Amino acid sequence: MTQIPPSGALGRQSASARTGTPKAGPQDDPRAARQDVRQPGPQAGPQAGPPGPEAAGTGGAARGAANGAAPWRALALVLVGAFMAVLDTFIVLVAAPALQADLHATAADVQLVLAGYQLTYALALITGARLGDRFGRRRLFMTGMALFTLASVGCALAPGAGSLIAARLVQGLGAAAMFPQVFAVIQVLIPAGKRPKAFGALGAVIGMATMSGQLIGGVLISADLFGSSWRPVFWVNVPVGVVTLLLAALFLPETRAPRARRLDLPGAAVLTVALFLLVVPLVEGRAYGWPLWTWLSLAASVPAFALLCLVERRVEAAGGTPLVRLGLLGERPFAVGMTLVVLTYAGINSLFLVLSLTLQDGLGRDALGAGLVYTPFAVAFFLTSLLAGRLARHGRRVLRIGALTGAVGFVGTIVLALGAGAALSAWELVPPLLLVGAGNGLLVTPLLNAVLGNVGPEDVGMASGVLSTGQQIGGAVGVALVGILYYGALGGAAHNDTRAYGQALAAALLLNVVLAAAISALLPLLPDAARRRAQAPPPRA
């Protein structure tokens, strides 16, 4: 994973030095005492001064940070939340036909069940990250997990489409409170030299959650447990959520951002409106045939974001803490990295849409069968995500190899789909998809680390929220664009018309090839962390 020169032990001035907080005694483990985590009570030692304002460790959870295993235990807990948040974006796709029949829902109702979660999730990510900075990341993670779990109960018990939609909206808010805390936990708890491995684990978890949604959903719906049809896809969250909450209360340290102040309410309001105007048409436009209101909404998002910039500048000029610090967005590593994240997730999400449609509608596989075809792709993504963490010392070269490998896989899929014609089978797609999965694993994992690797502790929450929002917006843009290409090429072809669906898949994947080329062109603009580390002076004793 690409690693920007880290803070703390490798030379950047620590948060305690900047804020005047006395340093901990020599008996404290410097790997665990991150910039905004304090060691309370007897763990601090006689030489440690009073705790600074930047952090608040509470109880046994914070004391546990003094041993080497605690940061990884904390990471494992928040990764469960990341898995659940991403999984529930995709697992419901499989359940859509069953819940529509069971609840006598309209097509518009089903669309809101699918899109409502994405909307509230995307709209609240930055606010959720900032709330974690101010009130504590453990507190926000646990609040989000509790809300997500209760909303899952509401979804599973929903008597009608309206109540299911409402529960899904709340579920999205819970996910938005949880997910940004994962990035923050990695930045403040994991030792700088180990963060590439941590981001590798995160990339593997995101990939597995994304690609196992159909498989898990297909298994649960096919099992029809106790005649419950689609409801187990929500019930499965409940025991996982309860156990994670209990373990988080015991083992997840509490951290806050240095000098965190009250939430920027004007900025939060304007950002919500701006994101709403941008995300709603991207998520809903294709399903409704891109009516006039979608284009008006997209156009209105431009002045809304301009107003956000004005509001945030005024907040910062008045000495407040803006929801989004515009200066960070202008810094080259972060700006280039965020552009690459948007392009990468546009390619990933668009691939899942057209591949699922091709496998099920074109090649006649059910949800479980389509999930099985995804499995080799998921395994390749998982393994290379973990490998990318170990290859961080090679810097941008890992990203280049990932982008190139993915592009070769996309081109191979196009050639296969066009060449096979009506004889195309699902399993013939596996070899080129293995290349796509391997390439994405090498690309996504180091990219996440590159975006956050040079962010200071005071900005880590905001940057985490912006990164998470960029993932959502990129995915929505990719799905919108690929839908135009795919359905335009498909025309009025009947289901199980293998030739037509293969040609539509090939046309849609041209977008992925273009995105891979754009990523490769932008990569030289991303600072090479490996070279910067090699040129950096050794840390002072």
Side-chain angles (χ1 to χ4, degrees), residues 1 196-208 211 377-392 398 437-446 448:
M1 179 174 296
K197 293 182 180 179
F199 277 106
L202 173 60
V205 164
I206 292 174
M208 290 299 293
M211 287 168 275
F377 181 104
V379 171
F381 189 106
F382 179 83
L383 293 177
T384 54
S385 292
L386 297 178
L387 178 63
R390 299 180 179 275
L391 298 176
V398 178
N440 280 334
L442 292 174
L443 177 63
V444 172
T445 297
L448 298 176

PDB file of all heavy atoms in Angstrom, residues 1 196-208 211 377-392 398 437-446 448:
ATOM      1  N   MET A   1       0.830  -1.187   0.000  1.00  0.00           N
ATOM      2  CA  MET A   1       0.000   0.000   0.000  1.00  0.00           C
ATOM      3  C   MET A   1       0.867   1.240   0.000  1.00  0.00           C
ATOM      4  O   MET A   1       1.874   1.310   0.672  1.00  0.00           O
ATOM      5  CB  MET A   1      -0.873  -0.011   1.254  1.00  0.00           C
ATOM      6  CG  MET A   1      -1.766   1.185   1.379  1.00  0.00           C
ATOM      7  SD  MET A   1      -2.853   0.973   2.793  1.00  0.00           S
ATOM      8  CE  MET A   1      -3.776  -0.429   2.259  1.00  0.00           C
ATOM      9  N   PRO A 196      -0.229   0.196   6.446  1.00  0.00           N
ATOM     10  CA  PRO A 196      -0.525  -0.469   5.170  1.00  0.00           C
ATOM     11  C   PRO A 196      -1.215  -1.810   5.347  1.00  0.00           C
ATOM     12  O   PRO A 196      -2.133  -2.143   4.596  1.00  0.00           O
ATOM     13  CB  PRO A 196       0.861  -0.613   4.534  1.00  0.00           C
ATOM     14  CG  PRO A 196       1.656   0.512   5.109  1.00  0.00           C
ATOM     15  CD  PRO A 196       1.180   0.641   6.525  1.00  0.00           C
ATOM     16  N   LYS A 197      -0.794  -2.593   6.333  1.00  0.00           N
ATOM     17  CA  LYS A 197      -1.460  -3.878   6.590  1.00  0.00           C
ATOM     18  C   LYS A 197      -2.893  -3.658   7.058  1.00  0.00           C
ATOM     19  O   LYS A 197      -3.798  -4.420   6.694  1.00  0.00           O
ATOM     20  CB  LYS A 197      -0.672  -4.680   7.614  1.00  0.00           C
ATOM     21  CG  LYS A 197       0.689  -5.145   7.118  1.00  0.00           C
ATOM     22  CD  LYS A 197       1.403  -5.995   8.170  1.00  0.00           C
ATOM     23  CE  LYS A 197       2.764  -6.457   7.663  1.00  0.00           C
ATOM     24  NZ  LYS A 197       3.486  -7.262   8.688  1.00  0.00           N
ATOM     25  N   ALA A 198      -3.093  -2.624   7.879  1.00  0.00           N
ATOM     26  CA  ALA A 198      -4.445  -2.334   8.358  1.00  0.00           C
ATOM     27  C   ALA A 198      -5.355  -1.934   7.203  1.00  0.00           C
ATOM     28  O   ALA A 198      -6.505  -2.384   7.111  1.00  0.00           O
ATOM     29  CB  ALA A 198      -4.395  -1.228   9.414  1.00  0.00           C
ATOM     30  N   PHE A 199      -4.849  -1.097   6.309  1.00  0.00           N
ATOM     31  CA  PHE A 199      -5.649  -0.719   5.143  1.00  0.00           C
ATOM     32  C   PHE A 199      -5.845  -1.907   4.209  1.00  0.00           C
ATOM     33  O   PHE A 199      -6.867  -2.007   3.524  1.00  0.00           O
ATOM     34  CB  PHE A 199      -5.006   0.453   4.404  1.00  0.00           C
ATOM     35  CG  PHE A 199      -5.336   1.787   4.997  1.00  0.00           C
ATOM     36  CD1 PHE A 199      -4.396   2.491   5.729  1.00  0.00           C
ATOM     37  CD2 PHE A 199      -6.592   2.343   4.845  1.00  0.00           C
ATOM     38  CE1 PHE A 199      -4.691   3.718   6.288  1.00  0.00           C
ATOM     39  CE2 PHE A 199      -6.902   3.570   5.394  1.00  0.00           C
ATOM     40  CZ  PHE A 199      -5.950   4.259   6.119  1.00  0.00           C
ATOM     41  N   GLY A 200      -4.858  -2.802   4.174  1.00  0.00           N
ATOM     42  CA  GLY A 200      -5.045  -4.020   3.390  1.00  0.00           C
ATOM     43  C   GLY A 200      -6.204  -4.840   3.916  1.00  0.00           C
ATOM     44  O   GLY A 200      -7.019  -5.360   3.157  1.00  0.00           O
ATOM     45  N   ALA A 201      -6.288  -4.954   5.256  1.00  0.00           N
ATOM     46  CA  ALA A 201      -7.402  -5.681   5.860  1.00  0.00           C
ATOM     47  C   ALA A 201      -8.724  -4.984   5.564  1.00  0.00           C
ATOM     48  O   ALA A 201      -9.733  -5.630   5.254  1.00  0.00           O
ATOM     49  CB  ALA A 201      -7.191  -5.799   7.366  1.00  0.00           C
ATOM     50  N   LEU A 202      -8.733  -3.647   5.631  1.00  0.00           N
ATOM     51  CA  LEU A 202      -9.958  -2.910   5.327  1.00  0.00           C
ATOM     52  C   LEU A 202     -10.375  -3.115   3.879  1.00  0.00           C
ATOM     53  O   LEU A 202     -11.558  -3.363   3.584  1.00  0.00           O
ATOM     54  CB  LEU A 202      -9.746  -1.421   5.609  1.00  0.00           C
ATOM     55  CG  LEU A 202     -10.894  -0.496   5.184  1.00  0.00           C
ATOM     56  CD1 LEU A 202     -12.185  -0.861   5.897  1.00  0.00           C
ATOM     57  CD2 LEU A 202     -10.531   0.963   5.449  1.00  0.00           C
ATOM     58  N   GLY A 203      -9.418  -3.021   2.964  1.00  0.00           N
ATOM     59  CA  GLY A 203      -9.752  -3.243   1.556  1.00  0.00           C
ATOM     60  C   GLY A 203     -10.294  -4.631   1.311  1.00  0.00           C
ATOM     61  O   GLY A 203     -11.258  -4.814   0.555  1.00  0.00           O
ATOM     62  N   ALA A 204      -9.707  -5.630   1.975  1.00  0.00           N
ATOM     63  CA  ALA A 204     -10.189  -7.000   1.826  1.00  0.00           C
ATOM     64  C   ALA A 204     -11.608  -7.135   2.361  1.00  0.00           C
ATOM     65  O   ALA A 204     -12.458  -7.801   1.756  1.00  0.00           O
ATOM     66  CB  ALA A 204      -9.256  -7.963   2.557  1.00  0.00           C
ATOM     67  N   VAL A 205     -11.883  -6.494   3.497  1.00  0.00           N
ATOM     68  CA  VAL A 205     -13.223  -6.567   4.092  1.00  0.00           C
ATOM     69  C   VAL A 205     -14.253  -5.885   3.197  1.00  0.00           C
ATOM     70  O   VAL A 205     -15.347  -6.417   2.962  1.00  0.00           O
ATOM     71  CB  VAL A 205     -13.207  -5.926   5.497  1.00  0.00           C
ATOM     72  CG1 VAL A 205     -14.624  -5.632   5.983  1.00  0.00           C
ATOM     73  CG2 VAL A 205     -12.510  -6.852   6.483  1.00  0.00           C
ATOM     74  N   ILE A 206     -13.916  -4.710   2.665  1.00  0.00           N
ATOM     75  CA  ILE A 206     -14.841  -4.014   1.767  1.00  0.00           C
ATOM     76  C   ILE A 206     -15.113  -4.863   0.526  1.00  0.00           C
ATOM     77  O   ILE A 206     -16.265  -5.003   0.082  1.00  0.00           O
ATOM     78  CB  ILE A 206     -14.269  -2.640   1.368  1.00  0.00           C
ATOM     79  CG1 ILE A 206     -14.240  -1.703   2.578  1.00  0.00           C
ATOM     80  CG2 ILE A 206     -15.104  -2.016   0.243  1.00  0.00           C
ATOM     81  CD1 ILE A 206     -13.555  -0.379   2.304  1.00  0.00           C
ATOM     82  N   GLY A 207     -14.057  -5.418  -0.043  1.00  0.00           N
ATOM     83  CA  GLY A 207     -14.237  -6.243  -1.233  1.00  0.00           C
ATOM     84  C   GLY A 207     -15.074  -7.476  -0.960  1.00  0.00           C
ATOM     85  O   GLY A 207     -15.974  -7.820  -1.740  1.00  0.00           O
ATOM     86  N   MET A 208     -14.806  -8.153   0.151  1.00  0.00           N
ATOM     87  CA  MET A 208     -15.567  -9.349   0.480  1.00  0.00           C
ATOM     88  C   MET A 208     -17.027  -9.018   0.756  1.00  0.00           C
ATOM     89  O   MET A 208     -17.935  -9.746   0.330  1.00  0.00           O
ATOM     90  CB  MET A 208     -14.945 -10.039   1.694  1.00  0.00           C
ATOM     91  CG  MET A 208     -13.600 -10.678   1.416  1.00  0.00           C
ATOM     92  SD  MET A 208     -13.665 -11.980   0.154  1.00  0.00           S
ATOM     93  CE  MET A 208     -14.637 -13.218   1.021  1.00  0.00           C
ATOM     94  N   MET A 211     -18.781  -8.263  -2.599  1.00  0.00           N
ATOM     95  CA  MET A 211     -18.950  -9.381  -3.520  1.00  0.00           C
ATOM     96  C   MET A 211     -19.642 -10.589  -2.907  1.00  0.00           C
ATOM     97  O   MET A 211     -20.071 -11.479  -3.624  1.00  0.00           O
ATOM     98  CB  MET A 211     -17.587  -9.769  -4.091  1.00  0.00           C
ATOM     99  CG  MET A 211     -17.103  -8.740  -5.100  1.00  0.00           C
ATOM    100  SD  MET A 211     -15.352  -8.935  -5.560  1.00  0.00           S
ATOM    101  CE  MET A 211     -14.553  -8.040  -4.249  1.00  0.00           C
ATOM    102  N   PHE A 377     -13.620 -14.172  -8.038  1.00  0.00           N
ATOM    103  CA  PHE A 377     -13.320 -12.736  -8.075  1.00  0.00           C
ATOM    104  C   PHE A 377     -13.067 -12.218  -6.666  1.00  0.00           C
ATOM    105  O   PHE A 377     -12.097 -11.496  -6.405  1.00  0.00           O
ATOM    106  CB  PHE A 377     -14.521 -12.021  -8.713  1.00  0.00           C
ATOM    107  CG  PHE A 377     -14.374 -10.536  -8.861  1.00  0.00           C
ATOM    108  CD1 PHE A 377     -14.103  -9.972 -10.092  1.00  0.00           C
ATOM    109  CD2 PHE A 377     -14.531  -9.686  -7.779  1.00  0.00           C
ATOM    110  CE1 PHE A 377     -13.980  -8.598 -10.240  1.00  0.00           C
ATOM    111  CE2 PHE A 377     -14.410  -8.312  -7.908  1.00  0.00           C
ATOM    112  CZ  PHE A 377     -14.132  -7.766  -9.144  1.00  0.00           C
ATOM    113  N   ALA A 378     -13.960 -12.596  -5.724  1.00  0.00           N
ATOM    114  CA  ALA A 378     -13.840 -12.139  -4.341  1.00  0.00           C
ATOM    115  C   ALA A 378     -12.568 -12.660  -3.686  1.00  0.00           C
ATOM    116  O   ALA A 378     -11.890 -11.938  -2.951  1.00  0.00           O
ATOM    117  CB  ALA A 378     -15.066 -12.574  -3.542  1.00  0.00           C
ATOM    118  N   VAL A 379     -12.240 -13.916  -3.944  1.00  0.00           N
ATOM    119  CA  VAL A 379     -11.035 -14.500  -3.353  1.00  0.00           C
ATOM    120  C   VAL A 379      -9.788 -13.779  -3.875  1.00  0.00           C
ATOM    121  O   VAL A 379      -8.863 -13.457  -3.097  1.00  0.00           O
ATOM    122  CB  VAL A 379     -10.958 -16.006  -3.660  1.00  0.00           C
ATOM    123  CG1 VAL A 379      -9.605 -16.577  -3.255  1.00  0.00           C
ATOM    124  CG2 VAL A 379     -12.080 -16.741  -2.937  1.00  0.00           C
ATOM    125  N   ALA A 380      -9.746 -13.498  -5.182  1.00  0.00           N
ATOM    126  CA  ALA A 380      -8.603 -12.782  -5.752  1.00  0.00           C
ATOM    127  C   ALA A 380      -8.482 -11.390  -5.141  1.00  0.00           C
ATOM    128  O   ALA A 380      -7.375 -10.936  -4.797  1.00  0.00           O
ATOM    129  CB  ALA A 380      -8.746 -12.690  -7.275  1.00  0.00           C
ATOM    130  N   PHE A 381      -9.603 -10.699  -5.006  1.00  0.00           N
ATOM    131  CA  PHE A 381      -9.599  -9.365  -4.406  1.00  0.00           C
ATOM    132  C   PHE A 381      -9.089  -9.427  -2.971  1.00  0.00           C
ATOM    133  O   PHE A 381      -8.258  -8.615  -2.542  1.00  0.00           O
ATOM    134  CB  PHE A 381     -11.017  -8.781  -4.437  1.00  0.00           C
ATOM    135  CG  PHE A 381     -11.106  -7.328  -4.049  1.00  0.00           C
ATOM    136  CD1 PHE A 381     -11.322  -6.358  -5.010  1.00  0.00           C
ATOM    137  CD2 PHE A 381     -10.985  -6.923  -2.731  1.00  0.00           C
ATOM    138  CE1 PHE A 381     -11.405  -5.019  -4.664  1.00  0.00           C
ATOM    139  CE2 PHE A 381     -11.063  -5.593  -2.366  1.00  0.00           C
ATOM    140  CZ  PHE A 381     -11.276  -4.640  -3.336  1.00  0.00           C
ATOM    141  N   PHE A 382      -9.569 -10.407  -2.212  1.00  0.00           N
ATOM    142  CA  PHE A 382      -9.193 -10.560  -0.810  1.00  0.00           C
ATOM    143  C   PHE A 382      -7.686 -10.791  -0.670  1.00  0.00           C
ATOM    144  O   PHE A 382      -7.007 -10.131   0.119  1.00  0.00           O
ATOM    145  CB  PHE A 382      -9.979 -11.717  -0.203  1.00  0.00           C
ATOM    146  CG  PHE A 382      -9.656 -11.997   1.240  1.00  0.00           C
ATOM    147  CD1 PHE A 382     -10.253 -11.264   2.240  1.00  0.00           C
ATOM    148  CD2 PHE A 382      -8.766 -13.002   1.582  1.00  0.00           C
ATOM    149  CE1 PHE A 382      -9.967 -11.514   3.575  1.00  0.00           C
ATOM    150  CE2 PHE A 382      -8.464 -13.269   2.906  1.00  0.00           C
ATOM    151  CZ  PHE A 382      -9.078 -12.514   3.910  1.00  0.00           C
ATOM    152  N   LEU A 383      -7.157 -11.721  -1.442  1.00  0.00           N
ATOM    153  CA  LEU A 383      -5.751 -12.078  -1.311  1.00  0.00           C
ATOM    154  C   LEU A 383      -4.828 -10.939  -1.738  1.00  0.00           C
ATOM    155  O   LEU A 383      -3.821 -10.648  -1.069  1.00  0.00           O
ATOM    156  CB  LEU A 383      -5.453 -13.339  -2.133  1.00  0.00           C
ATOM    157  CG  LEU A 383      -6.131 -14.625  -1.638  1.00  0.00           C
ATOM    158  CD1 LEU A 383      -5.823 -15.784  -2.579  1.00  0.00           C
ATOM    159  CD2 LEU A 383      -5.689 -14.967  -0.214  1.00  0.00           C
ATOM    160  N   THR A 384      -5.154 -10.274  -2.838  1.00  0.00           N
ATOM    161  CA  THR A 384      -4.271  -9.197  -3.288  1.00  0.00           C
ATOM    162  C   THR A 384      -4.412  -7.958  -2.414  1.00  0.00           C
ATOM    163  O   THR A 384      -3.462  -7.164  -2.304  1.00  0.00           O
ATOM    164  CB  THR A 384      -4.541  -8.831  -4.758  1.00  0.00           C
ATOM    165  OG1 THR A 384      -5.934  -8.532  -4.936  1.00  0.00           O
ATOM    166  CG2 THR A 384      -4.141  -9.960  -5.682  1.00  0.00           C
ATOM    167  N   SER A 385      -5.570  -7.761  -1.778  1.00  0.00           N
ATOM    168  CA  SER A 385      -5.695  -6.660  -0.820  1.00  0.00           C
ATOM    169  C   SER A 385      -4.735  -6.858   0.341  1.00  0.00           C
ATOM    170  O   SER A 385      -4.052  -5.927   0.783  1.00  0.00           O
ATOM    171  CB  SER A 385      -7.132  -6.567  -0.294  1.00  0.00           C
ATOM    172  OG  SER A 385      -8.025  -6.167  -1.293  1.00  0.00           O
ATOM    173  N   LEU A 386      -4.663  -8.082   0.856  1.00  0.00           N
ATOM    174  CA  LEU A 386      -3.731  -8.369   1.937  1.00  0.00           C
ATOM    175  C   LEU A 386      -2.282  -8.255   1.458  1.00  0.00           C
ATOM    176  O   LEU A 386      -1.412  -7.747   2.167  1.00  0.00           O
ATOM    177  CB  LEU A 386      -3.995  -9.763   2.499  1.00  0.00           C
ATOM    178  CG  LEU A 386      -5.370  -9.969   3.155  1.00  0.00           C
ATOM    179  CD1 LEU A 386      -5.504 -11.416   3.623  1.00  0.00           C
ATOM    180  CD2 LEU A 386      -5.571  -9.009   4.316  1.00  0.00           C
ATOM    181  N   LEU A 387      -2.025  -8.725   0.230  1.00  0.00           N
ATOM    182  CA  LEU A 387      -0.674  -8.648  -0.328  1.00  0.00           C
ATOM    183  C   LEU A 387      -0.236  -7.203  -0.519  1.00  0.00           C
ATOM    184  O   LEU A 387       0.930  -6.860  -0.297  1.00  0.00           O
ATOM    185  CB  LEU A 387      -0.628  -9.389  -1.666  1.00  0.00           C
ATOM    186  CG  LEU A 387       0.711  -9.376  -2.418  1.00  0.00           C
ATOM    187  CD1 LEU A 387       1.794 -10.086  -1.604  1.00  0.00           C
ATOM    188  CD2 LEU A 387       0.548 -10.030  -3.793  1.00  0.00           C
ATOM    189  N   ALA A 388      -1.176  -6.350  -0.917  1.00  0.00           N
ATOM    190  CA  ALA A 388      -0.832  -4.947  -1.166  1.00  0.00           C
ATOM    191  C   ALA A 388      -0.287  -4.277   0.082  1.00  0.00           C
ATOM    192  O   ALA A 388       0.591  -3.405   0.000  1.00  0.00           O
ATOM    193  CB  ALA A 388      -2.059  -4.194  -1.675  1.00  0.00           C
ATOM    194  N   GLY A 389      -0.801  -4.658   1.260  1.00  0.00           N
ATOM    195  CA  GLY A 389      -0.279  -4.098   2.496  1.00  0.00           C
ATOM    196  C   GLY A 389       1.179  -4.423   2.714  1.00  0.00           C
ATOM    197  O   GLY A 389       1.941  -3.620   3.278  1.00  0.00           O
ATOM    198  N   ARG A 390       1.608  -5.581   2.267  1.00  0.00           N
ATOM    199  CA  ARG A 390       3.012  -5.983   2.425  1.00  0.00           C
ATOM    200  C   ARG A 390       3.920  -5.375   1.355  1.00  0.00           C
ATOM    201  O   ARG A 390       5.144  -5.417   1.488  1.00  0.00           O
ATOM    202  CB  ARG A 390       3.115  -7.509   2.375  1.00  0.00           C
ATOM    203  CG  ARG A 390       2.319  -8.203   3.487  1.00  0.00           C
ATOM    204  CD  ARG A 390       2.451  -9.716   3.389  1.00  0.00           C
ATOM    205  NE  ARG A 390       1.715 -10.384   4.449  1.00  0.00           N
ATOM    206  CZ  ARG A 390       2.195 -10.615   5.674  1.00  0.00           C
ATOM    207  NH1 ARG A 390       3.425 -10.241   5.971  1.00  0.00           N
ATOM    208  NH2 ARG A 390       1.473 -11.222   6.588  1.00  0.00           N
ATOM    209  N   LEU A 391       3.320  -4.859   0.293  1.00  0.00           N
ATOM    210  CA  LEU A 391       4.103  -4.291  -0.809  1.00  0.00           C
ATOM    211  C   LEU A 391       4.175  -2.778  -0.761  1.00  0.00           C
ATOM    212  O   LEU A 391       4.558  -2.140  -1.747  1.00  0.00           O
ATOM    213  CB  LEU A 391       3.493  -4.728  -2.149  1.00  0.00           C
ATOM    214  CG  LEU A 391       3.468  -6.236  -2.434  1.00  0.00           C
ATOM    215  CD1 LEU A 391       2.757  -6.515  -3.750  1.00  0.00           C
ATOM    216  CD2 LEU A 391       4.891  -6.808  -2.459  1.00  0.00           C
ATOM    217  N   ALA A 392       3.795  -2.187   0.386  1.00  0.00           N
ATOM    218  CA  ALA A 392       3.712  -0.728   0.484  1.00  0.00           C
ATOM    219  C   ALA A 392       5.043  -0.050   0.165  1.00  0.00           C
ATOM    220  O   ALA A 392       5.065   1.080  -0.332  1.00  0.00           O
ATOM    221  CB  ALA A 392       3.238  -0.334   1.881  1.00  0.00           C
ATOM    222  N   VAL A 398       2.857  -0.407  -7.098  1.00  0.00           N
ATOM    223  CA  VAL A 398       1.773  -1.341  -6.776  1.00  0.00           C
ATOM    224  C   VAL A 398       0.461  -0.849  -7.385  1.00  0.00           C
ATOM    225  O   VAL A 398      -0.309  -1.629  -7.953  1.00  0.00           O
ATOM    226  CB  VAL A 398       1.644  -1.497  -5.250  1.00  0.00           C
ATOM    227  CG1 VAL A 398       0.491  -2.440  -4.907  1.00  0.00           C
ATOM    228  CG2 VAL A 398       2.933  -2.012  -4.646  1.00  0.00           C
ATOM    229  N   GLY A 437     -10.398  -8.817 -10.319  1.00  0.00           N
ATOM    230  CA  GLY A 437     -10.389  -8.860  -8.863  1.00  0.00           C
ATOM    231  C   GLY A 437      -9.000  -8.629  -8.291  1.00  0.00           C
ATOM    232  O   GLY A 437      -8.818  -7.870  -7.334  1.00  0.00           O
ATOM    233  N   ALA A 438      -7.995  -9.276  -8.881  1.00  0.00           N
ATOM    234  CA  ALA A 438      -6.622  -9.105  -8.406  1.00  0.00           C
ATOM    235  C   ALA A 438      -6.155  -7.663  -8.594  1.00  0.00           C
ATOM    236  O   ALA A 438      -5.517  -7.072  -7.701  1.00  0.00           O
ATOM    237  CB  ALA A 438      -5.699 -10.064  -9.147  1.00  0.00           C
ATOM    238  N   GLY A 439      -6.477  -7.081  -9.735  1.00  0.00           N
ATOM    239  CA  GLY A 439      -6.077  -5.696  -9.982  1.00  0.00           C
ATOM    240  C   GLY A 439      -6.734  -4.724  -9.025  1.00  0.00           C
ATOM    241  O   GLY A 439      -6.080  -3.808  -8.501  1.00  0.00           O
ATOM    242  N   ASN A 440      -8.023  -4.911  -8.764  1.00  0.00           N
ATOM    243  CA  ASN A 440      -8.719  -4.021  -7.836  1.00  0.00           C
ATOM    244  C   ASN A 440      -8.158  -4.147  -6.425  1.00  0.00           C
ATOM    245  O   ASN A 440      -8.082  -3.163  -5.685  1.00  0.00           O
ATOM    246  CB  ASN A 440     -10.217  -4.320  -7.836  1.00  0.00           C
ATOM    247  CG  ASN A 440     -10.925  -3.704  -9.017  1.00  0.00           C
ATOM    248  OD1 ASN A 440     -10.476  -2.704  -9.562  1.00  0.00           O
ATOM    249  ND2 ASN A 440     -12.023  -4.304  -9.436  1.00  0.00           N
ATOM    250  N   GLY A 441      -7.784  -5.358  -6.016  1.00  0.00           N
ATOM    251  CA  GLY A 441      -7.201  -5.532  -4.697  1.00  0.00           C
ATOM    252  C   GLY A 441      -5.894  -4.774  -4.543  1.00  0.00           C
ATOM    253  O   GLY A 441      -5.616  -4.180  -3.492  1.00  0.00           O
ATOM    254  N   LEU A 442      -5.066  -4.784  -5.597  1.00  0.00           N
ATOM    255  CA  LEU A 442      -3.795  -4.060  -5.553  1.00  0.00           C
ATOM    256  C   LEU A 442      -3.982  -2.550  -5.674  1.00  0.00           C
ATOM    257  O   LEU A 442      -3.105  -1.779  -5.269  1.00  0.00           O
ATOM    258  CB  LEU A 442      -2.882  -4.542  -6.682  1.00  0.00           C
ATOM    259  CG  LEU A 442      -2.352  -5.971  -6.566  1.00  0.00           C
ATOM    260  CD1 LEU A 442      -1.593  -6.345  -7.830  1.00  0.00           C
ATOM    261  CD2 LEU A 442      -1.454  -6.124  -5.342  1.00  0.00           C
ATOM    262  N   LEU A 443      -5.107  -2.123  -6.223  1.00  0.00           N
ATOM    263  CA  LEU A 443      -5.345  -0.698  -6.428  1.00  0.00           C
ATOM    264  C   LEU A 443      -6.070  -0.057  -5.254  1.00  0.00           C
ATOM    265  O   LEU A 443      -5.648   0.976  -4.726  1.00  0.00           O
ATOM    266  CB  LEU A 443      -6.156  -0.501  -7.710  1.00  0.00           C
ATOM    267  CG  LEU A 443      -6.562   0.942  -8.053  1.00  0.00           C
ATOM    268  CD1 LEU A 443      -5.325   1.800  -8.288  1.00  0.00           C
ATOM    269  CD2 LEU A 443      -7.470   0.952  -9.278  1.00  0.00           C
ATOM    270  N   VAL A 444      -7.180  -0.657  -4.819  1.00  0.00           N
ATOM    271  CA  VAL A 444      -8.033  -0.035  -3.814  1.00  0.00           C
ATOM    272  C   VAL A 444      -7.313   0.105  -2.480  1.00  0.00           C
ATOM    273  O   VAL A 444      -7.324   1.166  -1.843  1.00  0.00           O
ATOM    274  CB  VAL A 444      -9.334  -0.841  -3.635  1.00  0.00           C
ATOM    275  CG1 VAL A 444     -10.138  -0.320  -2.448  1.00  0.00           C
ATOM    276  CG2 VAL A 444     -10.172  -0.782  -4.899  1.00  0.00           C
ATOM    277  N   THR A 445      -6.681  -0.967  -2.036  1.00  0.00           N
ATOM    278  CA  THR A 445      -6.080  -0.981  -0.708  1.00  0.00           C
ATOM    279  C   THR A 445      -5.011   0.097  -0.525  1.00  0.00           C
ATOM    280  O   THR A 445      -5.094   0.900   0.408  1.00  0.00           O
ATOM    281  CB  THR A 445      -5.499  -2.373  -0.428  1.00  0.00           C
ATOM    282  OG1 THR A 445      -6.568  -3.314  -0.421  1.00  0.00           O
ATOM    283  CG2 THR A 445      -4.795  -2.413   0.901  1.00  0.00           C
ATOM    284  N   PRO A 446      -3.982   0.183  -1.378  1.00  0.00           N
ATOM    285  CA  PRO A 446      -2.987   1.241  -1.179  1.00  0.00           C
ATOM    286  C   PRO A 446      -3.545   2.634  -1.424  1.00  0.00           C
ATOM    287  O   PRO A 446      -3.042   3.613  -0.879  1.00  0.00           O
ATOM    288  CB  PRO A 446      -1.881   0.905  -2.180  1.00  0.00           C
ATOM    289  CG  PRO A 446      -2.506   0.016  -3.182  1.00  0.00           C
ATOM    290  CD  PRO A 446      -3.606  -0.716  -2.495  1.00  0.00           C
ATOM    291  N   LEU A 448      -6.512   3.814  -0.499  1.00  0.00           N
ATOM    292  CA  LEU A 448      -7.123   4.295   0.740  1.00  0.00           C
ATOM    293  C   LEU A 448      -6.053   4.828   1.683  1.00  0.00           C
ATOM    294  O   LEU A 448      -6.232   5.868   2.329  1.00  0.00           O
ATOM    295  CB  LEU A 448      -7.913   3.167   1.408  1.00  0.00           C
ATOM    296  CG  LEU A 448      -9.095   2.597   0.624  1.00  0.00           C
ATOM    297  CD1 LEU A 448      -9.711   1.429   1.375  1.00  0.00           C
ATOM    298  CD2 LEU A 448     -10.139   3.672   0.352  1.00  0.00           C
TER     299      LEU A 448
END
